[in-house]
Amino acid sequence: MQKLTLFLLLLTYSLSSAQQKTEINNILEQWHKAAADANFDAYFGLMTKDAIFIGTDPTENWTNADFKAFSKPYFDKGKAWSFSTLERNIFVENDMSIAWFDELLDTQMGICRGSGVVQKTNQGWKIKHYVLSIAIPNENVKEITELKKTFDTDLMKKLRAKSN
């Protein structure tokens, strides 16, 4: 009897976890589609009010309000950005209130990696933290490092001076 109870509990958790992953996948697809459709309200409606968006530039670490301000002109012009999913992995916390994911995306910048955290809210799953990075093949790292050397040096000096 104990084995059957344990089996049923594991089966229920497995099915529930799979359903949560499907819901999260759908939210992420809706979020990317809202950007492609330049639907500002739908896009930001899928993020928590305290969401953080970290962009590809090292200076892009935005609160939700800052990211809205940055993004609004793009959405207003009817052309935000268009990312399509190539691959996605979703991991759900045991209590199913938090999940995290990573994804490879086809973008105007080539292949990018997105990763983030989603939180279960009263309105369903919402994006709480998102990081977008340009994926660089290992064989190109040296030339990219050289290309951004001056920018990085200047920014590091500024950040170190700020922290002292």
Side-chain angles (χ1 to χ4, degrees), residues 3-81:
K3 286 183 181 180
L4 178 61
T5 302
L6 180 59
F7 173 75
L8 290 174
L9 284 172
L10 288 173
L11 181 62
T12 302
Y13 173 78
S14 247
L15 292 173
S16 185
S17 179
Q19 179 182 347
Q20 299 305 308
K21 287 180 179 182
T22 298
E23 287 178 24
I24 293 164
N25 187 67
N26 290 340
I27 291 299
L28 294 169
E29 288 300 315
Q30 289 171 27
W31 190 57
H32 291 312
K33 183 173 181 344
D37 294 344
N39 187 334
F40 185 85
D41 292 334
Y43 185 83
F44 285 97
L46 292 169
M47 298 174 77
T48 63
K49 291 191 185 335
D50 63 346
I52 299 293
F53 186 99
I54 299 175
T56 57
D57 187 291
T59 64
E60 296 174 339
N61 189 334
W62 290 306
T63 63
N64 194 345
D66 291 339
F67 188 48
K68 281 180 176 179
F70 166 82
S71 301
K72 185 93 169 92
Y74 294 97
F75 281 85
D76 287 349
K77 289 179 188 169
K79 183 87 172 106
W81 43 88

Side-chain angles (χ1 to χ4, degrees), residues 61-154:
N61 189 334
W62 290 306
T63 63
N64 194 345
D66 291 339
F67 188 48
K68 281 180 176 179
F70 166 82
S71 301
K72 185 93 169 92
Y74 294 97
F75 281 85
D76 287 349
K77 289 179 188 169
K79 183 87 172 106
W81 43 88
S82 183
F83 298 168
S84 61
T85 309
L86 299 169
E87 176 182 275
R88 181 175 292 133
N89 299 295
I90 299 170
F91 309 91
V92 181
E93 182 64 40
N94 289 341
D95 71 0
M96 295 189 207
S97 64
I98 294 282
W100 56 98
F101 62 92
D102 61 80
E103 57 187 5
L104 285 178
L105 302 165
D106 178 358
T107 79
Q108 69 274 12
M109 299 172 281
I111 294 176
C112 285
R113 179 171 304 282
S115 62
V117 175
V118 290
Q119 180 178 34
K120 185 81 173 223
T121 71
N122 292 335
Q123 297 81 38
W125 289 99
K126 300 243 182 192
I127 297 157
K128 186 167 188 72
H129 191 127
Y130 192 80
V131 179
L132 180 66
S133 38
I134 299 172
I136 299 172
N138 289 334
E139 60 267 13
N140 299 119
V141 168
K142 187 175 182 177
E143 64 190 278
I144 297 300
T145 302
E146 188 59 37
L147 183 65
K148 63 189 204 97
K149 188 175 192 170
T150 302
F151 179 90
D152 285 359
T153 301
D154 292 345

